[in-house]
């Protein structure tokens, strides 16, 4: 049963602590993405990776870090430098981007992070 | 940098067709139009995408105007489970980045 898993679904942390969110996919997709969603708003891109051992900053990368050591895994670390870390975090994957094809993104169920 | 414009909210009677409009007047020639929906506190779900021609699948139909500056997503027989936020997205290269706006909140009324 192919798909994207994110764990945990709910996560609570104290301010000043780093926290790592898990994202795993078994779709054999090359590209993976992390988005953040705040209440009543759309998704904003944090980081994306088109291939193993490579990743690029999205629109709101400050205070976040990622790694892509394996094709199926793309963990996101929310560091203490992120000023407003409380949000809903969504991971997605797709076949790799090429200019002449359309590849939809498949999303995981999300992790709701609360930092107090 | 908004790429699409959608109404904030819409209602639709159960069993009727839901027509969700989207304006993308600055779309370029090789950019696809995608539609996703998000049910509360879940990950977005892919619905359909298109480039120039109208498209249909088991979930919906996508009508794209000839000048490609707007499109309409059609849910032919809306059910209560179609209540969700619907996002119209124009893919932006490089990196297959999607810009999600605030979408249209569709409420299907019994």
């Amino acid at each position: 049963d192919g798909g994207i898993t994110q764990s945990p679904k709910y996560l609570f942390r104290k301010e000043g602590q780093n926290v790592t969110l898990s994202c795993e996919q078994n779709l054999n997709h090359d590209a993976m993405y992390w988005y953040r969603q705040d209440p009543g708003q759309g998704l904003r891109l944090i980081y994306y990776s088109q291939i193993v051992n490579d990743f690029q900053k999205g629109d709101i990368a400050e205070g976040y870090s990622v790694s892509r050591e394996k094709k199926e895994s793309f963990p996101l670390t929310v560091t203490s430098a992120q000023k407003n870390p409380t949000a809903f975090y969504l991971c997605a994957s797709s076949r790799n981007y090429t200019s002449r094809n359309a590849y939809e993104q498949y999303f995981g169920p999300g992790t709701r992070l609360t930092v107090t | 940098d908004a790429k699409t414009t959608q109404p904030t909210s819409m209602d639709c009677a159960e069993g009727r067709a839901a027509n969700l409009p989207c304006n993308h007047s600055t779309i370029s020639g090789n950019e696809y139009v995608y539609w996703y929906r998000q049910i509360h506190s879940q990950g977005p779900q892919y619905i359909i995408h298109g480039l120039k021609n109208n498209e249909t699948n088991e979930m919906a139909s996508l009508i794209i105007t000839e000048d490609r500056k707007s499109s309409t997503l059609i849910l032919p027989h809306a059910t209560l489970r179609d209540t969700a936020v619907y996002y119209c997205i124009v893919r932006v290269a490089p990196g297959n980045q999607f810009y999600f706006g605030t979408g249209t909140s569709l409420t299907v009324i019994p």
Side-chain angles (χ1 to χ4, degrees), chain A residues 37 40-42, chain B residues 4-12 18-23 35-40 47 71-73 75 82-89 100-108:
Chain A
Q37 186 173 35
Q41 299 195 26
Chain B
T4 64
T5 305
Q6 298 176 255
T8 303
S9 63
M10 293 179 64
D11 293 337
C12 177
N19 297 286
L20 290 88
C22 179
N23 288 325
W35 283 84
Y36 279 76
R37 72 180 182 185
Q38 186 177 25
I39 296 169
H40 183 62
I47 302 173
S71 60
T72 301
L73 178 75
L75 307 178
D82 292 322
T83 292
V85 177
Y86 287 78
Y87 296 99
C88 169
I89 300 156
F100 285 80
T102 51
T104 296
S105 178
L106 175 70
T107 302
V108 179

Side-chain angles (χ1 to χ4, degrees), chain B residues 17-66:
Chain B
N19 297 286
L20 290 88
C22 179
N23 288 325
H24 30 79
S25 57
T26 60
I27 193 170
S28 61
N30 62 349
E31 288 181 327
Y32 286 78
V33 179
Y34 286 77
W35 283 84
Y36 279 76
R37 72 180 182 185
Q38 186 177 25
I39 296 169
H40 183 62
S41 293
Q42 296 182 23
Q45 176 191 22
Y46 165 80
I47 302 173
I48 199 166
H49 73 271
L51 183 62
K52 296 179 188 176
N53 301 321
N54 298 338
E55 302 289 342
T56 296
N57 63 20
E58 64 278 4
M59 288 183 70
S61 295
L62 174 60
I63 309 297
I64 302 174
T65 57
E66 195 169 338

Side-chain angles (χ1 to χ4, degrees), chain A residues 6-115:
Chain A
Q6 292 184 245
S7 60
K9 190 165 179 62
Y10 299 95
L11 191 54
F12 299 88
R13 280 292 183 271
K14 294 289 188 187
E15 193 174 334
Q17 294 179 334
N18 291 354
V19 58
T20 297
L21 280 60
S22 165
C23 178
E24 304 277 333
Q25 55 97 0
N26 60 4
L27 299 166
N28 200 31
H29 284 169
D30 291 309
M32 296 186 74
Y33 312 81
W34 274 105
Y35 293 89
R36 168 189 172 130
Q37 186 173 35
D38 293 285
Q41 299 195 26
L43 283 67
R44 292 183 290 167
L45 183 67
I46 304 173
Y47 268 98
Y48 65 98
S49 168
Q50 292 180 270
I51 197 168
V52 175
N53 292 322
D54 182 64
F55 48 82
Q56 306 294 330
K57 291 182 179 179
D59 299 319
I60 55 165
E62 187 174 348
Y64 299 98
S65 66
V66 293
S67 63
R68 187 84 189 279
E69 297 176 3
K70 298 186 296 183
K71 186 176 185 178
E72 56 271 19
S73 179
F74 190 41
L76 173 75
T77 297
V78 183
T79 75
S80 56
Q82 168 49 235
K83 292 183 173 57
N84 297 298
T86 295
F88 187 45
Y89 290 88
L90 287 155
C91 179
S93 72
S94 70
R95 284 183 287 167
N96 208 349
Y97 166 80
T98 61
S99 62
R100 292 193 177 279
N101 289 286
Y103 294 139
E104 61 267 28
Q105 292 187 7
Y106 294 86
F107 284 82
T111 292
R112 190 166 297 280
L113 173 66
T114 302
V115 176

